[in-house]
Amino acid sequence: MKYRKRSDGSLVTKSELKAQNTNTSLPKAWTVDTLEFLGVDPVLAGTKPTLGDYEVAQADGVVQSEGNWVEAWKVAPMFSEYTDEEGTVVTEAEQIAAYEVQKAAERRSNMACTPRQARLALLSAGVYEAVQTAVASVSDQARIEWEYATIVERTSPIIAEMMGALGMTDEDLDGLFDLAVTL
């Protein structure tokens, strides 16, 4: 929780107030009298605004609402154009593209399903037979993985190898994993 100092309107935490009043014995549970002694008012949590794509909520001080101090928020863009150390301008669009790549990589690193779910998803997508044929034509390791794996991970090199052999895109494969976990 934050507190607003009446003297200057600055915001401080309980820890900061304790550090500023080391010669004062403060009770564990702060009462209205404690707050009065310290000259602060509690700041209630404010409702964060609804955000669109590539926006962030930033703290914007406090406002008084119905006799209480409440956190204020503002919406700001997640990215803005800047110039890096080498003097290269990095556009908002470039930052968004890099962010999307990172988000996709993080999402894919958490994608996994059982072999049963994978086979049912491939069957539903109409590519089960093509995968069976592709597995027969790739490495021994891929065949062993296909036959004996207890979990199928989206980021497995063997999955990438199969994706290439089948002419699938990353988005196609993501869709198959999304389908698989529902089966």
Side-chain angles (χ1 to χ4, degrees):
M1 172 174 260
K2 291 189 179 178
Y3 297 88
R4 181 185 177 277
K5 284 187 169 182
R6 294 178 191 146
S7 60
D8 62 7
S10 64
L11 299 179
V12 291
T13 64
K14 193 173 192 176
S15 298
E16 290 170 329
L17 284 168
K18 286 180 179 180
Q20 293 168 4
N21 292 280
T22 55
N23 293 329
T24 305
S25 179
L26 295 169
K28 268 191 174 182
W30 288 11
T31 64
V32 172
D33 291 335
T34 308
L35 299 177
E36 195 62 38
F37 170 79
L38 293 170
V40 297
D41 295 307
V43 176
L44 304 177
T47 304
K48 287 188 179 182
T50 302
L51 302 174
D53 292 339
Y54 316 117
E55 291 181 333
V56 293
Q58 293 179 336
D60 193 23
V62 294
V63 294
Q64 221 168 12
S65 175
E66 300 176 15
N68 294 311
W69 289 101
V70 180
E71 292 175 316
W73 296 93
K74 67 180 177 181
V75 175
M78 187 181 287
F79 305 106
S80 59
E81 189 171 289
Y82 68 92
T83 304
D84 67 14
E85 295 94 28
E86 289 89 37
T88 304
V89 174
V90 181
T91 67
E92 186 176 333
E94 290 170 326
Q95 293 173 67
I96 289 171
Y99 174 77
E100 289 298 329
V101 166
Q102 178 187 353
K103 258 181 34 178
E106 287 173 11
R107 181 172 176 268
R108 289 175 182 142
S109 72
N110 293 316
M111 292 176 128
C113 63
T114 66
R116 176 191 163 275
Q117 289 172 315
R119 286 171 172 83
L120 288 172
L122 294 168
L123 186 64
S124 292
V127 294
Y128 180 74
E129 290 303 322
V131 170
Q132 289 288 85
T133 303
V135 166
S137 67
V138 292
S139 69
D140 288 339
Q141 183 180 354
R143 286 192 297 277
I144 292 169
E145 287 282 338
W146 180 249
E147 184 78 23
Y148 299 106
T150 58
I151 189 163
V152 181
E153 296 174 322
R154 168 64 175 86
T155 54
S156 166
I158 292 169
I159 296 295
E161 183 180 347
M162 294 304 302
M163 184 178 80
L166 294 166
M168 298 177 87
T169 66
D170 278 321
E171 291 73 24
D172 294 335
L173 196 53
D174 291 346
L176 281 172
F177 271 85
D178 288 337
L179 174 62
V181 296
T182 66
L183 301 172

